[in-house]
Amino acid sequence: MQKILKSGNGWRIGWNPEAEYQGLVGSDDWAFELTTTELADFCRLLGQLVDNMRSIQSELMDEESIACEAESDLVWMQVAGIPSKYSLRLILSTGRGCEGNWAAEAVPNLVNAVDTLKFF
């Protein structure tokens, strides 16, 4: 597999199989690298959170906000907002002290990019 870097307004995600840390996540003004397993967990948990927000939409009143969390041994993630527009937060639990977040406007395109990554 070759090196991949996808980016847009407020988000970026990458994969470099030759690097020590193969994954990259970030926004316009921050980024950090992830191991293959951390990136796989990020992608998996993001999918779960997106599914949760879609499934709970019918249970909420219009413009009612909610926060949902998901975690593994490696990463903690949270989405917060209304089901049609929510921010995303990520904290690594591996001791490297990394934390990042994406604005609600960036999340849909980040989710689409994650859905197209086929690195594992």
Side-chain angles (χ1 to χ4, degrees):
M1 166 148 278
Q2 63 185 12
K3 183 177 177 180
I4 298 169
L5 180 61
K6 297 182 178 212
S7 63
N9 189 17
W11 66 274
R12 56 186 150 156
I13 188 163
W15 170 252
N16 182 356
E18 304 299 321
E20 178 180 354
Y21 293 98
Q22 298 81 21
L24 175 82
V25 294
S27 72
D28 290 337
D29 54 0
W30 65 268
F32 54 84
E33 297 173 322
L34 303 174
T35 66
T36 300
T37 309
E38 290 166 345
L39 184 59
D41 279 7
F42 171 80
C43 294
R44 179 178 57 81
L45 294 175
L46 179 58
Q48 289 176 5
L49 289 167
V50 169
D51 289 345
N52 288 346
M53 290 299 272
R54 286 181 185 145
S55 68
I56 202 163
Q57 187 167 7
S58 64
E59 306 294 322
L60 300 176
M61 295 181 355
D62 290 345
E63 302 302 315
E64 185 177 0
S65 291
I66 190 166
C68 295
E69 299 176 3
E71 68 181 308
S72 71
D73 291 340
L74 304 175
V75 298
W76 174 90
M77 297 173 64
Q78 178 189 62
V79 292
I82 60 174
S84 61
K85 188 175 183 181
Y86 48 87
S87 61
L88 172 64
R89 187 169 171 214
L90 165 68
I91 299 174
L92 287 187
S93 306
T94 57
R96 291 202 321 266
C98 298
E99 180 175 349
N101 65 293
W102 292 267
E105 296 77 20
V107 172
N109 290 325
L110 175 63
V111 169
N112 289 338
V114 166
D115 287 345
T116 65
L117 280 182
K118 303 293 183 219
F119 63 91
F120 53 93

